[in-house]
Amino acid sequence: MIRLENISKQYDLGGTVVKALKDVTLEIKRGDYAAIMGPSGSGKSTLMHILGILDSATGGRYYLEDYDITALPDREQARIRNRHFGFIFQSFNLFPELSAVENVMLPMSYAGVPFKTRKEKAVQLLHEVGLGHRLTHLPTMLSGGEQQRVAIARALSNDPDLILADEPTGNLPSDKGEEIMKILESLNHRGVTIIMVTHNPEQGKRAGYVIELKDGDLISNAPSLEAKDA
Ligand SMILES: Nc1ncnc2c1ncn2[C@@H]1O[C@H](COP(=O)(O)OP(=O)(O)OP(=O)(O)O)[C@@H](O)[C@H]1O
Ligand SMILES: [Mg+2]
């Protein structure tokens, strides 16, 4: 599904250069459940932004289904993001003035889905993540775990092929985090490809394999022994 070849990302800070990613080559297959792990500052979020086509690499090639993403115009990149990817990023906050259901409807309006269909789908997705009773709540009226589940429902609204989740359970107590993990796992069982950043070794073991980063280098990309279908 995705192939990165010698991807690098440098930040030029007037004089000093930060090499956030160095020569990363990896492949993610359709239906995979990959965990990205590594110490703080090792390049995990940088890699997620590049995988999600939210940021471009300073070197290397990105192939999505054999198409060279690097060469596509911005508009086409945005279309791919909107139609095929779902994001659960901590920095991707919900819109505070929009209700849960309106937040979930938003990506579908960018995709040109008619109002009635958007609304029905958003309500259905919120039910699926256990928030059928919180449809009209504003984000500030929801708990952290509930907000995260709204973000998941929003990420699912355009039936993504790929979900990119950057520490989706990071701010949550463990029981709430477990609910999120279960949702991600059931999506993966339905065939959705998942790439998840986590600091939690237990969560890493539950993924199909771990992509490990250290100081911007790819340390390992081997299927883990605990892979569920190993
Ligand atoms: N916009 C930027 N400008 C300059 N340096 C940056 C920028 N964004 C990230 N970096 C640097 O790139 C490196 C990788 O950052 P990144 O956010 O990918 O780390 P991370 O592995 O996600 O860490 P964490 O676990 O703390 O979230 C860090 O050293 C960071 O300081
Ligand atoms: Mg990060």
Side-chain angles (χ1 to χ4, degrees):
M1 179 177 204
I2 288 176
R3 200 165 79 248
L4 301 187
E5 288 181 1
N6 308 106
I7 288 287
S8 61
K9 178 70 180 179
Q10 299 195 353
Y11 294 105
D12 254 309
L13 302 171
T16 47
V17 174
V18 177
K19 292 183 175 175
L21 289 175
K22 307 168 191 162
D23 244 5
V24 170
T25 295
L26 60 82
E27 200 173 324
I28 310 252
K29 295 204 170 66
R30 195 167 275 276
D32 276 2
Y33 179 7
I36 300 180
M37 302 191 73
S40 179
S42 57
K44 302 181 298 295
S45 294
T46 305
L47 179 57
M48 289 294 268
H49 281 92
I50 290 173
L51 285 166
I53 327 180
L54 294 162
D55 199 359
S56 50
T58 39
R61 295 264 153 207
Y62 178 160
Y63 297 96
L64 180 69
E65 308 291 14
D66 289 327
Y67 288 100
D68 187 347
I69 291 298
T70 335
L72 291 179
D74 288 354
R75 238 191 36 220
E76 196 54 26
Q77 295 188 353
R79 200 191 66 84
I80 292 172
R81 264 197 317 269
N82 185 251
R83 298 291 165 87
H84 299 286
F85 294 178
F87 296 93
I88 309 169
F89 282 12
Q90 291 182 331
S91 58
F92 268 41
N93 293 319
L94 302 171
F95 286 93
E97 73 280 15
L98 298 182
S99 68
V101 74
E102 286 165 345
N103 266 288
V104 178
M105 287 168 71
L106 202 59
M108 292 187 273
S109 62
Y110 296 145
V113 178
F115 179 84
K116 189 163 174 286
T117 316
R118 292 206 301 270
K119 179 119 197 216
E120 285 169 4
K121 180 108 183 246
V123 168
Q124 179 207 326
L125 286 168
L126 284 165
H127 274 101
E128 280 178 29
V129 298
L131 286 178
H133 59 314
R134 293 287 184 267
L135 298 176
T136 57
H137 275 54
L138 296 174
T140 49
M141 303 168 178
L142 296 169
S143 74
E146 288 172 341
Q147 289 180 35
Q148 200 71 318
R149 282 185 279 157
V150 175
I152 291 180
R154 183 181 59 178
L156 296 178
S157 62
N158 284 331
D159 296 319
D161 306 307
L162 170 67
I163 293 203
L164 295 135
D166 196 346
E167 297 192 54
T169 67
N171 293 329
L172 304 177
S174 60
D175 56 329
K176 298 294 174 198
E178 181 58 28
E179 288 174 15
I180 306 289
M181 290 297 292
K182 290 251 167 66
I183 293 171
L184 291 176
E185 284 169 5
S186 81
L187 287 165
N188 183 241
H189 286 139
R190 282 195 251 156
V192 179
T193 310
I194 312 268
I195 307 177
M196 172 187 70
V197 171
T198 180
H199 280 286
N200 182 328
E202 291 306 313
Q203 291 183 359
K205 280 182 195 164
R206 286 163 68 166
Y209 56 91
V210 174
I211 293 168
E212 198 179 348
L213 291 174
K214 194 178 172 218
D215 293 332
D217 285 309
L218 185 73
I219 302 290
S220 83
N221 182 18
S224 77
L225 295 173
E226 290 84 0
K228 45 184 172 295
D229 48 8

